[in-house]
Amino acid sequence: MTLRPLLYLLLLFPLLFTCSKENEKRSENTYFGGTIKNKNSNQITLRDYKNTIIDTFSLDATGSFLHQFKNFEPGLYNFFDGREAQSVFIQKGDSLIFRLNTIDFDESLTFTGIGSKENNFLINQFLENEKEEEVFLKFSQLPCNTFRDKIDSIRDKKLSRLKQFSSKNNTSEDFNALATATINFQNYFSKEFYPFARLDKDEIEVLNGLDATFFDYRKDINYNNEKIQNYYPYKTFLRFHFNTLALQEHFSHSKDSTYNNTSLHYNLDRFKLIDQKISFQPIKNDISYYYMIRYLNDSKNVEDFDQMLTAFKRINTNPDNIDKAAKIINSYKRLKPGLQLPELTIINKLDEEELLSSEITKPTVLYFWTANNKYHLIDSHKKAAELKQKYPEVKFIAINTDNISSKKQAAILQQNGLTQYNEFHFKNPINAKDLLAIKPINNVFLVDKNAKIINPKANMFSVDFEQQLVELLNH
């Protein structure tokens, strides 16, 4: 889509806002636009509920864009600024304009124009749910019936507030259904997570002690809701729901009494339940891929990976998903502890090529970063600097995973107040990311002085990382 002149936007925005009066009829045209302060990129990508790209919009010098829909289909959309994303509910005749500051992405997001009240209600609900996480953790230490009463009371208050809002603003049935579902999914999610949140009991004790009606809502779950398949509250609920459901199934035929997310048989049970309960293939593909990648990234039992891949192929029909999982498995087979780190070419700050192994002369931590994740970039470097002081015998090497020049890399580090110490980037980042299975980006390698792998899946922010450093030094 070509960028509209700024003058056109300035002339059109007031028109859109004047059309937002309560008694004003909706027009036949539907608009969506916004202004982003401290933009992460020069583009906004808009996707529909199927996750299909509708369009990519260029931002002007003020960080603004405006889109008029053609062949419009009402419902949930998702906009992405290159780093973060958020959902938006658009109906025919809306002239919906948002404003946000990427420094506080969700907290700063506000809407104006026709359709703004509904979306401000939804984003406020989203933020309220985030704030309730601490309260939920506190409630989750209570007996199950007390816990249920408290979170049901919170849900009922939200539903009452929604009823008043809907009556006052004469909202549509589609909005009412979506807002109700959002509230209910938060409630359901809390109940699904309850067995994992109790600190005083094993998961099997909690599940065996639940009231028979605790999960009554499960009989009403729509596992195949196409219209909200990519909606965050729905996806989050389903993910935790299958965690709990699979754990109940696993406990019924195993001797385990605690949750182990890397257990092969637990993960196979979860795949079986997904296959039984979800018939809409895009949702089945999405959630099974999510669990497959989580398992591969968390488990150290490489010998079980082929069995998981076989089960995954039976239920997932997306060739890209299968190909990515197979590549990760092949990578991890090459990264077993005790094996030599794959030889890769890196480029130093002087723009000189060298072999990665040449930099490994003592016990070493390899950590990675990308300019697309500013938070991890800063946090990982600060954590590494802190650990360097405590463990001077360990070498810390930072490697950028972008297709980037040494000059650009240095500029990014300088912009974020970071020193350029032991900083490199890959000559061939695509190949390197495949070979080292660098996903997620916080994946860290621990290698000995001979570049032999000790741990290919460490995390600098885990509670036992310093213990792993001690073991690395004693290896």
Side-chain angles (χ1 to χ4, degrees), residues 161-213:
R161 191 191 315 156
L162 170 61
K163 185 176 180 180
Q164 294 174 2
F165 175 85
S166 300
S167 177
K168 178 181 178 181
N169 295 285
N170 192 29
T171 53
S172 67
E173 291 184 9
D174 287 344
F175 168 79
N176 295 340
L178 178 64
T180 300
T182 302
I183 293 168
N184 284 333
F185 284 135
Q186 178 70 7
N187 178 270
Y188 301 162
F189 161 80
S190 299
K191 291 174 181 175
E192 296 290 340
F193 195 56
Y194 176 71
F196 303 90
R198 285 292 293 265
L199 301 177
D200 59 335
K201 294 182 178 182
D202 289 339
E203 288 84 359
I204 195 169
E205 292 180 77
V206 179
L207 287 169
N208 289 341
L210 293 179
D211 183 282
T213 62

Side-chain angles (χ1 to χ4, degrees), residues 367 376-387 416 418:
Y367 66 103
H376 173 72
L377 160 64
I378 295 173
D379 291 345
S380 62
H381 279 77
K382 286 184 176 179
K383 186 66 176 179
E386 172 193 323
L387 292 169
N416 289 283
L418 302 171

Side-chain angles (χ1 to χ4, degrees), residues 251-424:
F251 285 158
S252 72
H253 63 77
S254 76
K255 295 181 180 180
D256 293 339
S257 61
T258 58
Y259 171 61
N260 177 7
N261 70 320
T262 62
S263 162
L264 171 65
H265 295 292
Y266 166 69
N267 279 275
L268 292 175
D269 283 339
R270 190 160 52 188
F271 275 175
K272 181 182 71 174
L273 289 165
I274 290 170
D275 194 33
Q276 289 174 353
K277 293 186 175 295
I278 302 177
S279 58
F280 183 59
Q281 198 61 48
I283 294 179
K284 183 184 292 188
N285 286 347
D286 179 79
I287 196 167
S288 61
Y289 180 69
Y290 167 81
Y291 285 128
M292 183 67 181
I293 299 304
R294 284 289 301 272
Y295 173 79
L296 295 177
N297 286 335
D298 292 342
S299 176
K300 296 178 182 178
N301 302 318
V302 179
E303 61 275 9
D304 293 334
F305 286 4
D306 286 337
Q307 193 172 344
M308 273 292 288
L309 182 61
T310 299
F312 180 64
K313 287 179 177 178
R314 282 198 294 263
I315 66 173
N316 197 297
T317 61
N318 186 315
D320 288 340
N321 288 350
I322 294 171
D323 183 59
K324 288 176 183 176
K327 284 183 177 178
I328 291 173
I329 289 173
N330 289 333
S331 294
Y332 281 137
K333 286 180 178 179
R334 295 190 296 266
L335 301 174
K336 289 176 64 175
L339 296 181
Q340 204 72 22
L341 187 73
E343 194 62 274
L344 293 162
T345 302
I346 55 176
I347 301 175
N348 63 27
K349 64 181 180 180
L350 300 176
D351 220 25
E352 300 167 336
E353 294 184 10
E354 57 182 290
L355 293 177
L356 175 57
S357 59
S358 68
E359 286 291 332
I360 300 173
T361 55
K362 61 181 182 176
T364 300
V365 172
L366 300 175
Y367 66 103
F368 310 95
W369 62 275
T370 170
N372 293 327
N373 191 331
K374 182 178 179 179
Y375 303 110
H376 173 72
L377 160 64
I378 295 173
D379 291 345
S380 62
H381 279 77
K382 286 184 176 179
K383 186 66 176 179
E386 172 193 323
L387 292 169
K388 284 176 197 172
Q389 298 297 319
K390 296 175 71 172
Y391 301 93
E393 309 96 327
V394 177
K395 186 173 185 177
F396 288 79
I397 294 177
I399 307 179
N400 176 269
T401 63
D402 303 318
N403 188 4
I404 198 171
S405 68
S406 299
K407 183 178 180 181
K408 178 64 174 177
Q409 180 177 343
I412 293 170
L413 293 168
Q414 185 177 15
Q415 288 167 7
N416 289 283
L418 302 171
T419 58
Q420 193 170 1
Y421 178 77
N422 281 344
E423 291 282 348
F424 304 87

Side-chain angles (χ1 to χ4, degrees), residues 469-475:
L469 290 182
V470 173
E471 292 172 1
L472 174 64
L473 290 171
N474 292 330
H475 195 273

Side-chain angles (χ1 to χ4, degrees), residues 32 44-46 78-80 84-86 88 98 100 105 109:
F32 175 64
I44 289 288
T45 301
L46 183 68
N78 178 287
F79 66 91
F80 176 63
E84 297 191 65
Q86 188 53 265
V88 58
F98 72 83
L100 67 83
F105 192 95
L109 179 59

